[in-house]
Amino acid sequence: MKTKIYESMVLLDNALVREDWKKAKATVTDTLTKYGASIVTCRRYDEKKLAYQIKGKNRGTFVMCYFTLEKDTMAEIRREWELNEKVLRSLILRVEEVPATEHELAAAENNADFVVPAPPPDDMVEEEEPIIDPVPLDEIMVPDLNDVDLDSKA
Amino acid sequence: MAQQRRAPAPPISGKYCEDHMPDYKDVEHLKKFLSAHGQILSRKRSGYCTQCQKALKLAIKRARHMALLPFVG
Ligand SMILES: [Zn+2]
């Protein structure tokens, strides 16, 4: 029987990533190994602004793992991620092969000098619009109240 | 707003299909197939063949689930 390969993308709460990257990554890998999956590659895929807010977060870190699974435990894996508060979203798909570039990208993460950039601190920001740079004080025109022409519509 | 009339995109088939199979991770590519309101373009507008259009829909739905694409534009 051909071993089934799966691709999983997990969206993690940046708060967890900020605490410790290895621990954050382990929330993904531990679940996989716990239910009998063999991890082929696993890496930080991206950190970005989400297309919509999830649990009040505007940003999150994506983790991409490829694994093989012989056992019939997929439902348990999905369930565990669904119940985990720090996992904002997850997706598991069957794939034909692990992309060639994936090994290299995942290996780079194991280098001693690999540092996960700290996620920007705005994942709790409520505003949708980016904050506009404040106008310097000396550029704000203060109208002279004695000079206001009340009849003018301008 | 005046209704926009655009000529349908040329049909995509064969080799092109293979090279441009929609993937939920390729957000920039998928964005091209969303209307201003974030709706998936019809097959007529996307230029994809029936099979690829199905794959496109699935890819966009997956990308939306992962918050890579918005539900509304
Ligand atoms: Zn096609």
Side-chain angles (χ1 to χ4, degrees), chain A residues 82-146:
Chain A
E82 218 146 273
L83 295 176
N84 191 329
E85 283 273 294
K86 299 292 177 195
V87 174
L88 303 180
R89 284 286 188 276
S90 65
L91 181 69
I92 303 171
L93 301 173
R94 173 85 198 277
V95 290
E96 284 308 308
E97 56 187 4
V98 179
T101 51
E102 210 58 31
H103 291 279
E104 212 177 304
L105 290 164
E109 205 163 290
N110 296 326
N111 286 343
D113 57 348
F114 178 82
V115 181
V116 169
D122 67 335
D123 45 326
M124 286 296 268
V125 172
E126 291 295 317
E127 289 91 353
E128 268 289 83
E129 296 300 313
I131 298 153
I132 299 152
D133 286 335
V135 179
L137 273 179
D138 55 359
E139 273 181 52
I140 299 173
M141 300 269 276
V142 180
D144 184 355
L145 291 176
N146 296 318

Side-chain angles (χ1 to χ4, degrees), chain B residues 26-35 60 68-70:
Chain B
D26 193 354
V27 179
E28 288 312 308
H29 179 68
L30 295 180
K31 272 184 186 167
K32 292 180 209 159
F33 298 99
L34 291 181
S35 74
I60 289 174
L68 293 167
L69 283 179

Side-chain angles (χ1 to χ4, degrees), chain B residues 12 17 49 52:
Chain B
I12 301 169
C17 267
C49 73
C52 289

